[in-house]
Amino acid sequence: MFIDTHAHINYENKYGDIEKLLAEISDEKIEKIINVGWDLPSSVYAMQQAKIYPSVFFAAGFHPSNLTDYRKEALPAIADLLQEPKAVAVGEIGLDYHYTPFDEKAQQNAFCEQLELASSQKLPVIIHSRDAAADTLRILKDNQNKLQYSGVLHCFSGSPEMAKEYLKLGLYISFAGPVTFKNARKLDEVAKIVPNDKILAETDSPYLAPEPFRGTCNTPKNVIHIYQKLSSLRSVPLSSLAQQIRNNAHTLFYKL
């Protein structure tokens, strides 16, 4: 059985019939999905879906590129969502310096405040980092005392050296569709060095569909392709890798 540890099925009108999609996912032996919010409305919707569908769990938080409505006073609303039984993490949170203009200070403040929230809620964090590796690492090191419940660098795209720094902090590394791309040599190396007890897999759907579906709308059904590529890179049987990732997901996201 497989787990998609990061997806966004909380996009309305993106996937068509969600019940049909989840039935197809079940047929592919994907037993659980973590449905991740990027602002308050998407986090609320992720929670509502988790209440309806047994295979769906959720995370709540503000993505660094979705801070228009963010304010520290909004965090109590996120905290209320995190009281739900199927809330497994604060996320996704972090830094994104890719699209200009961006407010570096606002992103960093929101990141730090949400790390504090996760600590107070006794939950792990789901971390987004794009073109901001140095600041992400610095903030995590400065806030290491707020990582008691650990976290994951989702859709990891950094170097082996950066992965090692995150691993020193006890964090997990998650791989998505890009690890299957033909030019993913750097990610191939990272996938080989992550310890067995720190590796996770995800789709980040609807984004970053893996080969052979690159360029299409991604769905959690495609997570099997990430597992297969990681199995090949790490020279372990697919069944063994799936069990290891399942164990890791249940360890990190302990409410799964």
Side-chain angles (χ1 to χ4, degrees):
M1 300 294 281
F2 303 98
I3 294 177
D4 185 350
T5 63
H6 191 115
H8 302 286
I9 63 169
N10 46 341
Y11 271 103
E12 294 191 64
N13 306 316
K14 194 74 174 180
Y15 300 99
D17 187 333
I18 288 291
E19 291 193 8
K20 180 181 178 183
L21 174 67
L22 291 175
E24 293 171 349
I25 289 166
S26 179
D27 290 343
E28 297 293 331
K29 298 184 178 179
I30 299 162
E31 63 169 332
K32 293 178 181 177
I33 300 164
I34 298 177
N35 193 20
V36 182
W38 58 87
D39 58 11
L40 184 56
S42 63
S43 296
V44 170
Y45 189 36
M47 177 273 292
Q48 292 169 341
Q49 290 177 306
K51 280 189 169 183
I52 295 170
Y53 305 114
S55 63
V56 178
F57 294 75
F58 79 99
F62 280 86
H63 185 287
S65 297
N66 295 90
L67 298 180
T68 302
D69 299 321
Y70 178 87
R71 60 195 187 283
K72 194 169 184 179
E73 294 75 17
L75 291 186
I78 295 291
D80 286 344
L81 293 177
L82 297 172
Q83 299 303 307
E84 293 288 335
K86 296 179 80 176
V88 300
V90 175
E92 65 186 276
I93 67 175
L95 303 175
D96 192 317
Y97 297 169
H98 185 70
Y99 293 109
T100 57
F102 57 85
D103 189 329
E104 187 174 306
K105 184 175 180 180
Q107 287 194 20
Q108 293 180 15
N109 287 342
F111 189 14
C112 291
E113 288 166 2
Q114 291 181 95
L115 288 172
E116 185 174 351
L117 175 65
S119 176
S120 69
Q121 296 293 314
K122 300 182 179 180
L123 287 171
V125 288
I126 297 173
I127 302 162
H128 172 103
S129 180
R130 188 177 189 190
D131 295 345
D135 280 349
T136 301
L137 181 61
R138 174 183 56 80
I139 288 172
L140 290 171
K141 285 183 174 180
D142 289 347
N143 290 273
Q144 194 168 358
N145 64 327
K146 300 182 181 74
L147 297 173
Q148 311 99 304
Y149 300 92
S150 194
V152 56
L153 273 296
H154 107 88
C155 193
F156 187 79
S157 60
S159 66
E161 293 73 24
M162 188 58 67
K164 289 174 183 177
E165 292 299 315
Y166 292 132
L167 290 166
K168 288 176 185 177
L169 295 173
L171 298 170
Y172 291 68
I173 303 291
S174 182
F175 296 91
V179 78
T180 70
F181 297 170
K182 293 180 174 62
N183 61 348
R185 290 183 293 274
K186 180 173 64 175
L187 276 181
D188 288 355
E189 292 306 309
V190 177
K192 293 173 184 177
I193 65 167
V194 174
N196 288 337
D197 63 348
K198 294 297 181 183
I199 189 169
L200 293 170
E202 61 174 273
T203 58
D204 197 21
S205 59
Y207 309 110
L208 297 171
E211 299 289 357
F213 304 106
R214 191 171 180 180
T216 67
C217 178
N218 199 9
T219 83
K221 289 190 295 183
N222 292 333
V223 77
I224 181 64
H225 297 281
I226 290 94
Y227 279 81
Q228 288 171 337
K229 183 59 181 287
L230 292 173
S231 168
S232 174
L233 289 169
R234 294 168 70 85
S235 300
V236 296
L238 179 60
S239 59
S240 299
L241 178 76
Q243 185 61 52
Q244 182 67 63
I245 290 177
R246 187 178 188 278
N247 292 345
N248 295 345
H250 281 91
T251 298
L252 177 61
F253 305 110
Y254 61 88
K255 293 169 66 177
L256 275 180

